Amino acid sequence: MATELDLSEGTVQNILDQDTLKWVFVGGKGGVGKTTSSSILSILLAKVRSSVLIISTDPAHNLSDAFQQRFTKSPTLVNGFTNLYAMEVDPNVENEELHNTEGMDSFVSELANAIPGIDEAMSFAEMLKLVQTMDYSVIVFDTAPTGHTLRLLQFPSTLEKGLAKMMTLKNKFGGLLSQMTRMFGIDDEFGEDAILGKLEGMKDVIEQVNKQFKDPDLTTFVCVCIPEFLSLYETERLVQELTKFEIDAHNIIINQVIFDEEAVESKLLKARMRMQQKYLDQFYMLYDDFNITKLPLLPEEVCGVEALKNFSNYFVTPYQPSLNRGTVEELEQRVSMLKEQLKEAESDLEKLRKGKQKV
């Protein structure tokens, strides 16, 4: 029988109890259930916090599908809640304010080519500036697949490179850039000093936020995965990178687990269960100091607020198979299922015999 300690380790209750948390990132490989997990985490946090904002930084934007409600780049109140807001932003969208003129468009494009990721970093900084002006108790990030997420965490150093590049250009060419901007008929607000000031302002914002990201009292990262080799590999890579960036991570959600229950007789399901168990064992061996939450594979999609709320129970109370192998109840159910299958087979056989007699 599971002890109280075992139960607490199998949930996300530690995140709900940590009332100092300001930023919660949810990430992992594509297609493992990140959006569902982040949506449910935000719903659970809304029960214990005054206000919650969930932000999707995934260009695919599945947040609207999960809640079955249209979201935009502005925070929108989620239907059925008074303190849960959602917004969808695309870090790949280039910063519009820096592209207001033809000359400047060319200049920033050159900068973006010189420093890969600078446009994303600037857009992300703008979004963080916006978020910081809002008074939310906690912010949940539904991130893009692992590679994009790691780039997002590198944005502070990317901005620093961009700033250094700008300073080099300014020192090298002196007043040439100023003359060029005047030649293009660009106002002072779009000149190189203005852009430099904007970059420095963004760098200040992102450095301030970056300090918060590295504070385990304020920030945590939840890794979502499925019990398969590639997902295990991606999770290990993600955890290592988070350690390198000094970002706290002590929760893993393992989704789509097939539990040994309900007298499963399918050879395919049994083979999948054996495969999953091999990787589940590896997860527990590698991350013995993590809170690992196992979620069952469902026969239907989790879409809409009610479905999300129902599924959220398994985030705070470990899923228990309806039947345990080797019990009287389990054997009785297996016998009952076999009788039903025998009955159906006999019925099909009778129909075939009647069909042959007519021929």
Side-chain angles (χ1 to χ4, degrees), residues 15-269:
I15 294 173
L16 305 180
D17 291 342
Q18 193 176 338
D19 55 12
T20 58
L21 276 178
K22 174 73 176 174
W23 313 91
V24 179
F25 286 88
V26 181
K29 190 175 175 291
V32 296
K34 293 187 300 297
T35 301
T36 301
S37 299
S38 58
S39 300
I40 288 173
L41 264 175
S42 66
I43 287 172
L44 292 171
L45 283 164
K47 292 180 180 179
V48 294
R49 295 297 193 95
S50 57
S51 58
V52 180
L53 174 66
I54 178 168
I55 301 175
S56 170
T57 60
D58 186 347
H61 291 323
N62 297 315
L63 210 54
S64 293
D65 298 324
F67 284 104
Q68 294 186 332
Q69 179 183 345
R70 178 81 181 123
F71 298 120
T72 64
K73 59 183 180 180
S74 300
T76 305
L77 188 65
V78 177
N79 292 336
F81 294 88
T82 56
N83 64 337
L84 175 59
Y85 298 80
M87 64 188 280
E88 294 179 332
V89 295
D90 189 351
N92 294 314
V93 174
E94 294 183 355
N95 196 286
E96 291 175 9
E97 287 182 36
L98 294 177
H99 290 264
N100 284 356
T101 65
E102 194 179 327
M104 223 62 256
D105 184 54
S106 171
F107 181 75
V108 175
S109 294
E110 286 297 316
L111 183 63
N113 290 333
I115 316 290
I118 186 70
D119 49 349
E120 286 180 270
M122 290 162 85
S123 294
F124 185 64
E126 280 296 315
M127 187 264 291
L128 286 179
K129 274 170 78 174
L130 173 70
V131 166
Q132 280 205 310
T133 62
M134 304 169 187
D135 190 24
Y136 291 103
S137 173
V138 63
I139 295 157
V140 179
F141 280 92
D142 172 33
T143 69
T146 309
H148 294 271
T149 303
L150 296 179
R151 274 219 315 280
L152 180 143
L153 298 173
Q154 289 167 346
F155 283 167
S157 59
T158 304
L159 271 179
E160 207 167 333
K161 285 178 188 172
L163 199 59
K165 184 80 175 176
M166 286 285 288
M167 290 299 292
T168 305
L169 285 171
K170 190 175 180 185
N171 294 335
K172 191 173 181 181
F173 297 107
L176 186 62
L177 286 173
S178 297
Q179 291 174 28
M180 283 176 68
T181 54
R182 279 198 296 274
M183 224 167 67
F184 281 118
I186 296 166
D187 296 335
D188 287 343
E189 64 175 305
F190 298 113
E192 97 277 5
D193 284 334
I195 293 178
L196 199 61
K198 194 166 187 63
L199 271 173
E200 282 180 328
M202 286 177 179
K203 184 168 170 275
D204 290 342
V205 171
I206 215 162
E207 278 183 347
Q208 184 187 342
V209 172
N210 198 39
K211 280 180 186 173
Q212 293 184 23
F213 285 179
K214 291 181 178 183
D215 185 343
D217 290 333
L218 297 173
T219 305
T220 194
F221 200 108
V222 180
C223 304
V224 184
C225 55
I226 54 176
E228 292 181 8
F229 170 74
L230 282 178
S231 192
L232 174 65
Y233 173 79
E234 283 276 313
T235 304
E236 177 60 16
R237 177 181 159 224
L238 181 57
V239 169
Q240 285 179 5
E241 289 292 325
L242 291 170
T243 304
K244 191 169 84 178
F245 289 118
E246 301 173 54
I247 294 175
D248 174 74
H250 51 258
N251 279 81
I252 292 177
I253 292 173
I254 306 178
N255 210 357
Q256 301 176 21
V257 176
I258 304 170
F259 285 86
D260 190 6
E261 62 178 337
E262 295 180 8
V264 171
E265 297 301 327
S266 163
K267 287 183 179 178
L268 174 63
L269 283 179

Side-chain angles (χ1 to χ4, degrees), residues 235-357:
T235 304
E236 177 60 16
R237 177 181 159 224
L238 181 57
V239 169
Q240 285 179 5
E241 289 292 325
L242 291 170
T243 304
K244 191 169 84 178
F245 289 118
E246 301 173 54
I247 294 175
D248 174 74
H250 51 258
N251 279 81
I252 292 177
I253 292 173
I254 306 178
N255 210 357
Q256 301 176 21
V257 176
I258 304 170
F259 285 86
D260 190 6
E261 62 178 337
E262 295 180 8
V264 171
E265 297 301 327
S266 163
K267 287 183 179 178
L268 174 63
L269 283 179
K270 282 183 174 178
R272 295 288 298 178
M273 276 192 279
R274 283 195 296 273
M275 180 208 73
Q276 285 194 352
Q277 192 55 53
K278 179 175 75 173
Y279 294 115
L280 285 170
D281 291 342
Q282 288 185 39
F283 271 110
Y284 279 100
M285 184 179 70
L286 285 167
Y287 308 108
D288 58 339
D289 56 340
F290 277 62
N291 295 296
I292 297 178
T293 307
K294 290 193 297 183
L295 302 174
L297 176 66
L298 299 181
E300 70 282 332
E301 289 183 299
V302 183
C303 285
V305 172
E306 284 310 309
L308 290 167
K309 281 181 178 178
N310 291 336
F311 197 49
S312 71
N313 295 329
Y314 303 134
F315 280 65
V316 289
T317 306
Y319 179 77
Q320 296 295 328
S322 55
L323 283 177
N324 292 319
R325 286 281 180 183
T327 62
V328 172
E329 291 82 3
E330 185 262 338
L331 288 170
E332 283 175 346
Q333 185 167 332
R334 282 176 67 191
V335 169
S336 175
M337 283 178 67
L338 289 169
K339 282 180 178 176
E340 281 295 319
Q341 290 171 4
L342 180 62
K343 200 173 175 182
E344 286 175 16
E346 286 175 340
S347 174
D348 291 341
L349 181 62
E350 190 63 30
K351 286 174 186 174
L352 280 172
R353 281 174 176 164
K354 284 180 181 177
K356 280 187 178 179
Q357 285 172 3

